[in-house]
Amino acid sequence: MCTYDGQCSVTNNASRCLYNETEERRVCSCVKGYLVSSSKCIPDGLLLHGFCTENMQCTGTENANKCTRDRDEVQLSCQCNDGYIEINSTCYKSNRRLHESCYSSEQCKGSTGANECNYKDGVKICSCPEDKDNFKGTCLKVGLTLDEACWAGGQCTGTPNSGVCMADQGKDGKLICQCSPGFIKHNDSCFQENKELFEECMINAQCSRRLKKRVCTETRGRKVCMCKRGYVEDNKSMKCRKGNKKINGSCVINQQCNATENANTCRLAENTSKCSCNDGFDLIDGKCLKIGRKLFEKCSRHEQCNGTNNAMNCTDLNEDNKKVCFCHRDYLDFKGRCIMASRKLNEKCETDQQCTGTEKGNTCRLTSDSSKCSCNDRFDFIDGKCVKTGLKLYEPCISHKECNGTDFAGNCTKIENNTICFCQDGYLDFKSKCIKANRKLNESCKVNEQCKGTENANTCQYKEGKRWD
């Protein structure tokens, strides 16, 4: 017991007089950095490899709380606890297993082959080396190639598509890397089998099935599965079908029909699909000939010329003796069409050339509702004929209607054995004109012959600037 520090000088490093709660009194105590052991003050907080006498001194380095001799050393020192190893003056857990946290690869001894400490997702863990992978907690070598010995299929990654580790019947049942299901071995490679049409390939065996209709063919710089010679590809069913079919031969797809020119269409007829002429072609004299030919297009048979109405006439019009489609008789070509010719008066028309059925009725003229063949200019329809109109005074005529070329001369009459246009009643001729006759007193006039309307008033004279009777 003590009351002040000066009383505590008997024991080394115990120079402080402090209150002890257990004893409920002040007692001499070890100075800071020391702890009591068997009435002595010994150093506290010793670091790794610090000389010690008791375990409780070793608190300066985490997980290094054991005071023992290290290897051949004579003196005791602070060492790492059991299950820990020293790395760079620090004690870390030893025998870390696969995927457990670590600081150094020296810790990673707990799982077979997992002897590397690497970062994964920002955390360092015990991992398999680059040439090995985790198989149920064990690191086994990966990248094994075809026919190499193995324990698990995941090791067989050195040859593409050889991910199967199984016993080889030809090598005493030894487990080796083999091609995956759906692949076939060729030399040192595994190729996919049962390839469909147009899929890339390397060898024929990938493409051929039971019927052996496919081969691996290079096209446009690529090797793909195609049908062999004599067969064609069916893109819908992905099958190879017999080609070189002639017209009327049985078929499934158009591509089979390639033995008859222009008969490349497989068409259903009478519950059976047969090779038929292509659209726009028809079977004529045993050949598929182009139909729907229009006016002036080349042809060899009349049946081809059905592209323009009324032009089914395959005839020779050219100097080079090549036949073309032309209009039927009684039709003429107009703007790429064949329209009726020899149209008569008042029949519908589109052009003057049609109106040849009535003499002098050669004009196609628009009427109130449509265009019709009409009499030519200066002709008029009279008594079922086109008769010339606009005849002037004294010109020969056959009808009053013709005489409309001179005003008031609409009288076709016989004068001295000639039928001519003459002034109508109430008019008389004067200088190739028809002027009023029978003028009365004080009515205007030009010649005396007009003044017959008032007895004894037969003179035409000037009166106030005008000629008066």
Side-chain angles (χ1 to χ4, degrees):
M1 185 176 72
C2 61
T3 56
Y4 58 91
D5 291 343
Q7 294 177 285
C8 302
S9 58
V10 176
T11 302
N12 291 334
N13 300 312
S15 58
R16 292 192 303 173
C17 183
L18 301 174
Y19 182 78
N20 189 311
E21 292 182 356
T22 302
E23 298 181 15
E24 297 183 348
R25 60 180 181 156
R26 294 173 67 88
V27 296
C28 290
S29 303
C30 295
V31 298
K32 187 176 182 180
Y34 287 80
L35 55 86
V36 62
S37 174
S38 302
S39 301
K40 293 182 180 181
C41 288
I42 59 176
D44 184 20
L46 295 180
L47 300 174
L48 186 66
H49 300 305
F51 294 127
C52 58
T53 58
E54 297 183 32
N55 289 340
M56 60 181 177
Q57 293 179 269
C58 302
T59 59
T61 300
E62 187 177 6
N63 301 315
N65 313 122
K66 186 172 66 171
C67 184
T68 185
R69 289 184 178 83
D70 183 23
R71 300 184 184 89
D72 298 330
E73 291 183 0
V74 176
Q75 192 168 352
L76 297 174
S77 63
C78 293
Q79 301 294 327
C80 291
N81 299 343
D82 292 339
Y84 288 81
I85 59 172
E86 179 188 348
I87 303 172
N88 296 333
S89 300
T90 302
C91 293
Y92 293 96
K93 266 199 171 186
S94 61
N95 294 319
R96 301 298 281 168
R97 300 181 65 80
L98 185 65
H99 297 155
E100 289 185 337
S101 61
C102 58
Y103 170 77
S104 171
S105 296
E106 298 173 63
Q107 297 174 258
C108 301
K109 307 292 184 182
S111 296
T112 303
N115 53 12
E116 291 190 0
C117 184
N118 296 313
Y119 277 104
K120 184 175 182 181
D121 298 328
V123 179
K124 293 187 75 175
I125 60 174
C126 292
S127 311
C128 296
E130 288 186 3
D131 63 341
K132 295 182 180 181
D133 208 348
N134 175 23
F135 294 91
K136 296 182 180 180
T138 300
C139 293
L140 298 179
K141 185 178 180 181
V142 293
L144 300 182
T145 58
L146 200 62
D147 294 334
E148 278 194 296
C150 57
W151 289 101
Q155 294 180 265
C156 304
T157 58
T159 300
N161 306 311
S162 64
V164 175
C165 181
M166 60 185 298
D168 187 358
Q169 297 178 357
K171 293 186 178 180
D172 301 327
K174 180 182 178 182
L175 292 174
I176 61 172
C177 292
Q178 299 188 40
C179 291
S180 303
F183 291 82
I184 53 176
K185 181 182 177 183
H186 179 74
N187 296 332
D188 295 326
S189 301
C190 293
F191 296 107
Q192 184 179 345
E193 63 180 346
N194 297 328
K195 286 273 191 175
E196 296 291 346
L197 282 174
F198 311 119
E199 287 188 333
E200 290 189 354
C201 57
M202 294 298 294
I203 57 175
N204 288 336
Q206 292 179 265
C207 306
S208 43
R209 291 184 175 179
R210 181 172 56 87
L211 297 178
K212 306 295 183 183
K213 295 179 181 179
R214 300 176 184 174
V215 292
C216 187
T217 304
E218 185 170 350
T219 175
R220 298 180 181 178
R222 298 170 58 230
K223 293 187 75 174
V224 295
C225 291
M226 302 287 286
C227 297
K228 68 180 184 181
R229 187 186 298 274
Y231 289 82
V232 294
E233 294 80 14
D234 185 341
N235 296 343
K236 186 174 182 180
S237 67
M238 303 302 286
K239 294 181 179 180
C240 290
R241 301 193 182 278
K242 185 71 175 176
N244 299 320
K245 296 276 188 172
K246 296 182 179 181
I247 193 164
N248 293 325
S250 62
C251 58
V252 177
I253 58 174
N254 293 339
Q255 289 80 355
Q256 292 178 267
C257 306
N258 53 7
T260 299
E261 187 177 7
N262 300 318
N264 315 116
T265 302
C266 185
R267 188 173 281 118
L268 182 63
E270 298 178 357
N271 299 323
T272 303
S273 293
K274 295 182 179 181
C275 292
S276 309
C277 293
N278 300 341
D279 290 340
F281 290 80
D282 206 353
L283 187 62
I284 303 172
D285 295 338
K287 297 181 180 180
C288 288
L289 300 179
K290 182 81 172 176
I291 58 174
R293 307 300 282 174
K294 296 182 179 180
L295 193 62
F296 300 122
E297 289 186 337
K298 293 180 181 179
C299 60
S300 58
R301 297 288 188 276
H302 296 309
E303 294 88 337
Q304 295 179 262
C305 302
N306 56 356
T308 300
N309 289 337
N310 304 310
M312 288 191 68
N313 182 15
C314 185
T315 186
D316 184 4
L317 292 181
N318 301 330
E319 295 180 358
D320 56 4
N321 294 324
K322 288 185 179 179
K323 290 185 175 182
V324 296
C325 295
F326 196 64
C327 295
H328 294 170
R329 181 177 297 178
D330 297 329
Y331 284 82
L332 56 89
D333 63 285
F334 176 72
K335 295 182 179 181
R337 296 180 293 121
C338 291
I339 58 177
M340 286 195 74
S342 301
R343 304 298 282 168
K344 294 181 180 181
L345 208 60
N346 291 324
E347 291 184 334
K348 289 184 179 181
C349 59
E350 295 182 57
T351 178
D352 293 346
Q353 286 79 5
Q354 289 178 270
C355 302
T356 58
T358 300
E359 187 178 3
K360 304 299 182 182
N362 313 121
T363 302
C364 185
R365 185 172 285 116
L366 180 64
T367 62
S368 59
D369 57 347
S370 62
S371 295
K372 295 181 180 180
C373 290
S374 307
C375 292
N376 300 345
D377 291 342
R378 297 195 65 189
F379 285 81
D380 203 354
F381 185 63
I382 301 172
D383 298 331
K385 298 179 180 180
C386 287
V387 180
K388 189 173 183 181
T389 59
L391 298 181
K392 295 183 179 181
L393 193 62
Y394 310 132
E395 287 189 329
C397 61
I398 60 174
S399 171
H400 298 309
K401 294 180 181 179
E402 296 178 85
C403 301
N404 56 1
T406 300
D407 290 341
F408 312 114
N411 189 10
C412 182
T413 186
K414 189 173 183 179
I415 298 177
E416 297 179 359
N417 298 322
N418 291 318
T419 304
I420 61 174
C421 292
F422 198 69
C423 293
Q424 58 199 47
D425 292 344
Y427 289 83
L428 57 86
D429 60 306
F430 173 73
K431 294 183 179 180
S432 298
K433 293 182 179 180
C434 292
I435 58 177
K436 271 199 171 187
N438 298 319
R439 304 300 280 167
K440 295 181 180 181
L441 187 66
N442 291 328
E443 287 183 339
S444 61
C445 59
K446 293 183 179 181
V447 293
N448 292 335
E449 287 80 358
Q450 290 181 272
C451 303
K452 300 287 178 97
T454 301
E455 190 176 357
N456 299 318
N458 310 120
T459 302
C460 183
Q461 62 183 17
Y462 282 99
K463 186 177 181 180
E464 296 179 0
K466 294 182 180 179
R467 292 198 69 177
W468 300 92
D469 190 21

